[in-house]
Amino acid sequence: MLALSVASALIVAAPQFAFAQAAPAAADEPSAEVIIVTGTRRVSRSAADTPAPVDIIGGAEIAKQGESDTSNLIRNLVPSFNVNTQAINDASSIVRPVNLRGLAPDQTFVLVNGKRRHRAAVINFLGGGVSDGAQGPDISSIPSIALKQVEVLRDGAAAQYGSDAIAGVMNFILRTDSSGAEVEAKYGQFYEGDGTTYQVAGNFGLGLGENGFANVSLEYRQSGATSRSVQRGDAAALAAAGNTAIPNPAQIWGQPELKSDYKAFVNAGFDLGNGRSIYAFGNYGTRETDGGFYYRNPNTRGGVFSNDGGVTRLVADTTPGTGTTCPVITISTANEAALIAQVKADPTCFAFIEKFPGGFTPRFGGELVDYAGAVGTKGNVGKLNYDVSFSAGRNDVTFHINNTINASLGPNSPTEFTPGQQIQTEKNFNIDLSYAVPVKGFASDLNIAGGFEWRNEEFELIAGDAASYTVGPFVNQGFSIGSNGFNGFRPSDAGVWDRTNTAFYVDLEADVTEKLVLGAAVRTEDFDTFGQTTNYKLSGLLRATDVLTLRSTYSTGFRAPTPGQANVVNTTTSLIGGVLANTGTVSPTSVLGQLLGGKELKPEESKNFSLGGALDLGGLKVTVDYFNIKMEDRIRLRSGVPLTPAQIAALTPAQLAAVNAIGGLTSDFTNFKYFVNGVDSTTQGVDFVASYPLDLFGGKTSLNLVANWTETDITRGERLAGIEADGSAGLLQLEQGLPKYRGNISINHYQNKWSVSARLNYYGEYYDPHADDPTLPIYADAQVTFDTEVGYDLTDKLKISVGADNLFDSYPTSNPYATILGAKYSVSAPAGFGGGFYYLKLSYKH
């Protein structure tokens, strides 16, 4: 059925005003007349006339913050967008997962200049519940200085754009300046004295003859690690008992160190005349991160120091079969030190307590390389508009881990490893056409759009160095295999998996009357892996009065499982029943996956309904939008299940060889996970935006209020009895892991050479099972933070700004289990857990 639509869609960030010496740029001052390209295929469509809500964030609003990461910048401006600090979360610390409208990162469609952005190679195995197992794009690879504006369509749009457009669409539009230069230097630090950040960025406009432009953006950033930790209880007890080698803190919770972050974007175009042009844009970037892992207790860590829970030490006989008798070392006895000394003196015996007397904490990170490019031509032939383009992108992550060992190699184990590499490559070819047809009785032409897309997506897994996965000679003596903390990918894990699909779409939209706009779209896609899917969208907008507009949409959508989700193999360390243990993730269609109940993945499906309205009273503008997203067959990581003795006994020789080839029986895994279409859910919410301009103290002032309520209910899902009365931690995180209520009030004032901005942020209550352990539930309180910035124009080209994010040094709820693993606060806090951050910024525009 066709739903009537809401109003003047514009959900804007604070309107921007120029410095006294400069004229305001259109992208910096969103208004009801700003032309958008997201969510509509009509030429010269304003945000106020779209049947679905679109946030428009101008470049100046993005720049006016202390944050340096683009994901954090968007979080501060779009209340239904969430991203948080990733402390000890494996590859999630390299590419942080983001969430729009309470859904997973790969359920939001990301565009750059209207073209699909490739996904990251990272799959978020520890993604805070909502993002577990997701594989979304890396928004942080886009430098903020390159952006003219960001358009956020908060509506299902699979019928318009294809797979992934369930939560909405984010379109990052690059600057097109053909002259001038802008350079910005920023320095900042947390109040605690850590996390020091340096950033230098520049944007340069170049003319290509009289009819073209090339706009270049560069950024370099590095930031230090932070620590919001206390000493773990077990480490403190060891130190109190006399072990002087215990580090303090033994385990660090904080943002990882960003050793280097280089980003470069180029956007170019050339007018060929007669309504025709060519364009090209692309990027290249590298990033290296290094973060902490869980502490390995020198008395109790299984497979390394002890295999009986800390009663006796694990001692290796380096010459088995020769009659050597290594001493049995009972931990914490009077003669323990003497026995350890005896082992050290005997070359035929070895214990890892010799190398790590205080235990060890692995350091994990990775080197990311991201690059992409697009070329195309667009124009018109008579009334026919066309856009033909080809784009390709690649995201490459090489993992590294150090200060750890492959215990099965014994004394010969290295302490640094390269566990492997993941690569995501995508190619797209698009033909987009539109034609305006006069229709008798309509108030406008009927815009008929249609097109074709060919897309190829490839995921590659490359084996790590041999020492990171080798089954060493001491495995039969109880020592664990692989680089401890993150096992290397084996050659049998490695491979290249791809998927190709083609799509056709038709999109209709017209002003049926002066007051009523109606639209419809249908898209069919054919995948070489699971077949065909067809989705549609109906939309409408009603100009009810001169000041009130109503709008509504109804659509169906889908998200195809990625080749990475269907084939990746991974090892994670997490708390299981209060004990740190390894969990393996395997392909659901592998021999081991099928033994555990795995099946081939199928697409997620959705039904999306929105209804809203906009009120424009001249100065005061208010928009309210309700959304309801019903999803079936959401792809999740199935809770860990063991391979039982009965299953092992029933294995055929061929099955046994296949299971062992991926480490099934020759590892210290306690259980296994695999992807499954395991959850149905309903996510609903309301977005509220109000803005009002003021004239205060002879300057220009804007007052803005944005708020969001989002709630998710699981209607079908695996519930694990005996863990929590209301279900497993993972499903409870889906429902409560993000705050239901988010919002901020901001004010921006410009007067002569001064600019002042302030923003009060509210983050509602949320649920955090510490370290993903449901036996350690944290029901965190709401948090309020305050951000401010003051700027002064030193000259007509040079400006200095000082500011603070979280000015009053607010922290999230304290962790009641702090001494178990050492985290001082709830680490999944949506506002972060670093505390206050101050910064100094110098910018030059010419």
Side-chain angles (χ1 to χ4, degrees), residues 38-158:
T38 309
T40 180
R41 287 189 165 88
R42 293 178 73 174
V43 177
S44 300
R45 196 63 164 161
S46 74
D49 285 327
T50 59
V54 178
D55 297 333
I56 300 178
I57 304 168
E61 180 68 14
I62 294 171
K64 190 181 60 224
Q65 297 187 61
E67 295 283 4
S68 300
D69 186 282
T70 300
S71 297
N72 290 349
L73 297 172
I74 302 300
R75 176 192 65 189
N76 293 341
L77 300 171
V78 179
S80 61
F81 183 88
N82 284 277
V83 62
N84 57 19
T85 304
Q86 298 292 316
I88 303 176
N89 268 6
D90 286 5
S92 295
S93 62
I94 301 171
V95 177
R96 295 187 302 157
V98 301
N99 311 99
L100 181 66
R101 299 206 296 173
L103 296 181
D106 50 12
Q107 290 162 350
T108 295
F109 194 99
V110 176
L111 304 166
V112 173
N113 277 2
K115 306 302 178 184
R116 178 190 277 267
R117 181 72 176 169
H118 59 280
R119 346 176 161 269
V122 163
I123 298 175
N124 304 116
F125 290 97
L126 298 174
V130 178
S131 304
D132 287 353
Q135 187 184 4
D138 179 14
I139 294 175
S140 295
S141 65
I142 305 172
S144 59
I145 202 168
L147 297 173
K148 177 182 179 181
Q149 68 185 43
V150 180
E151 299 176 0
V152 183
L153 171 66
R154 292 178 288 100
D155 194 40

Side-chain angles (χ1 to χ4, degrees), residues 134-409:
Q135 187 184 4
D138 179 14
I139 294 175
S140 295
S141 65
I142 305 172
S144 59
I145 202 168
L147 297 173
K148 177 182 179 181
Q149 68 185 43
V150 180
E151 299 176 0
V152 183
L153 171 66
R154 292 178 288 100
D155 194 40
Q160 297 166 291
Y161 295 101
S163 176
D164 304 352
I166 293 176
V169 179
M170 301 183 68
N171 190 4
F172 294 84
I173 299 174
L174 303 175
R175 292 169 64 165
T176 57
D177 310 44
S178 60
S179 63
E182 178 180 354
V183 179
E184 179 183 276
K186 185 186 298 182
Y187 166 85
Q189 188 179 81
F190 283 95
Y191 291 6
E192 292 278 351
D194 55 11
T196 302
T197 298
Y198 304 91
Q199 178 175 306
V200 178
N203 179 269
F204 309 93
L206 306 171
L208 298 180
E210 295 183 357
N211 300 314
F213 75 93
N215 188 265
V216 180
S217 299
L218 304 170
E219 180 183 290
Y220 171 76
R221 177 168 62 109
Q222 66 179 48
S223 61
T226 65
S227 176
R228 302 296 178 267
S229 314
V230 299
Q231 183 63 298
R232 283 178 41 152
D234 58 343
L238 289 170
N243 189 329
T244 59
I246 303 298
N248 188 10
Q251 184 170 313
I252 296 176
W253 294 87
Q255 75 175 20
E257 178 187 5
L258 184 62
K259 291 186 174 182
S260 62
D261 187 6
Y262 297 92
K263 303 171 188 175
F265 256 87
V266 177
N267 186 31
F270 193 86
D271 187 353
L272 300 174
N274 298 319
R276 297 174 296 118
S277 64
I278 56 175
Y279 60 86
F281 60 90
N283 79 286
Y284 179 83
T286 64
R287 181 163 71 241
E288 183 178 0
T289 59
D290 181 74
F293 255 29
Y294 289 107
Y295 170 63
R296 272 56 180 166
N297 186 298
N299 285 2
T300 61
R301 180 65 183 188
V304 180
F305 294 111
S306 175
N307 273 352
D308 53 15
V311 177
T312 61
R313 296 206 176 276
L314 189 55
V315 179
D317 179 0
T318 62
T319 57
T322 61
T324 300
T325 302
C326 292
V328 175
I329 303 176
T330 302
I331 296 175
S332 299
T333 59
N335 66 337
E336 180 186 1
L339 290 172
I340 292 175
Q342 179 182 334
V343 169
K344 288 182 178 180
D346 187 348
T348 64
C349 298
F350 174 78
F352 277 103
I353 194 68
E354 301 177 43
K355 183 176 289 190
F356 301 104
F360 62 94
T361 305
R363 299 288 300 179
F364 176 80
E367 297 174 4
L368 179 147
V369 179
D370 184 279
Y371 53 91
V375 294
T377 181
K378 60 183 177 180
N380 60 76
V381 179
K383 295 178 66 175
L384 177 67
N385 299 296
Y386 65 86
D387 186 341
V388 181
S389 65
F390 175 80
S391 61
R394 177 183 170 106
N395 188 270
D396 183 330
V397 179
T398 301
F399 301 112
H400 60 71
I401 189 168
N402 60 74
N403 197 43
T404 188
I405 40 89
N406 178 343
S408 70
L409 295 175

Side-chain angles (χ1 to χ4, degrees), residues 475-719:
V475 65
N476 294 327
Q477 297 185 44
F479 289 89
S480 62
I481 66 169
S483 44
N484 197 283
F486 194 96
N487 283 16
F489 304 134
R490 301 168 178 81
S492 57
D493 301 332
V496 180
W497 303 272
D498 71 341
R499 181 183 67 202
T500 300
N501 68 290
T502 56
F504 295 89
Y505 75 87
V506 175
D507 191 323
L508 308 175
E509 187 177 328
D511 292 8
V512 178
T513 70
E514 293 291 340
K515 293 183 176 293
L516 181 63
V517 179
L518 295 178
V522 63
R523 183 184 183 100
T524 182
E525 302 210 20
D526 188 23
F527 290 80
D528 62 0
T529 50
F530 56 79
Q532 192 175 52
T533 180
T534 300
N535 293 273
Y536 66 90
K537 181 173 184 175
L538 304 171
S539 60
L541 180 144
L542 177 67
R543 303 180 184 99
T545 70
D546 290 342
V547 299
L548 177 65
T549 310
L550 303 174
R551 62 176 172 234
S552 183
T553 67
Y554 180 83
S555 63
T556 62
F558 77 104
R559 191 191 74 81
T562 71
Q565 289 174 321
N567 296 283
V568 72
V569 175
N570 186 260
T571 303
T572 57
T573 302
S574 57
L575 277 182
I576 300 176
V579 178
L580 287 171
N582 284 348
T583 298
T585 299
V586 298
S587 164
T589 56
S590 65
V591 173
L592 181 53
Q594 292 181 25
L595 285 172
L596 298 171
K599 299 178 181 178
E600 185 172 353
L601 297 175
K602 54 186 178 180
E604 302 172 327
E605 297 182 349
S606 68
K607 297 177 181 178
N608 197 315
F609 169 74
S610 71
L611 174 65
L615 189 66
D616 187 346
L617 298 176
L620 177 64
K621 292 179 171 61
V622 178
T623 64
V624 181
D625 291 278
Y626 167 80
F627 62 89
N628 185 293
I629 306 169
K630 296 184 184 297
M631 291 194 62
E632 296 181 357
D633 294 324
R634 289 182 68 165
I635 295 174
R636 299 280 298 160
L637 276 169
R638 190 184 190 281
S639 299
V641 292
L643 190 63
T644 66
Q647 288 174 313
I648 296 172
L651 294 176
T652 66
Q655 289 175 324
L656 183 63
V659 170
N660 279 330
I662 59 174
L665 303 181
T666 56
S667 70
D668 60 346
F669 294 154
T670 59
N671 52 32
F672 297 87
K673 295 182 179 182
Y674 54 87
F675 286 98
V676 60
N677 293 99
V679 171
D680 296 345
S681 66
T682 297
T683 299
Q684 60 180 333
V686 173
D687 289 306
F688 176 88
V689 174
S691 64
Y692 187 70
L694 300 168
D695 291 321
L696 297 177
F697 312 112
K700 292 184 177 180
T701 306
S702 62
L703 182 65
N704 303 271
L705 169 64
V706 292
N708 167 263
W709 161 66
T710 298
E711 182 173 300
T712 295
D713 294 306
I714 303 301
T715 55
R716 177 185 69 87
E718 174 194 9
R719 295 289 186 178

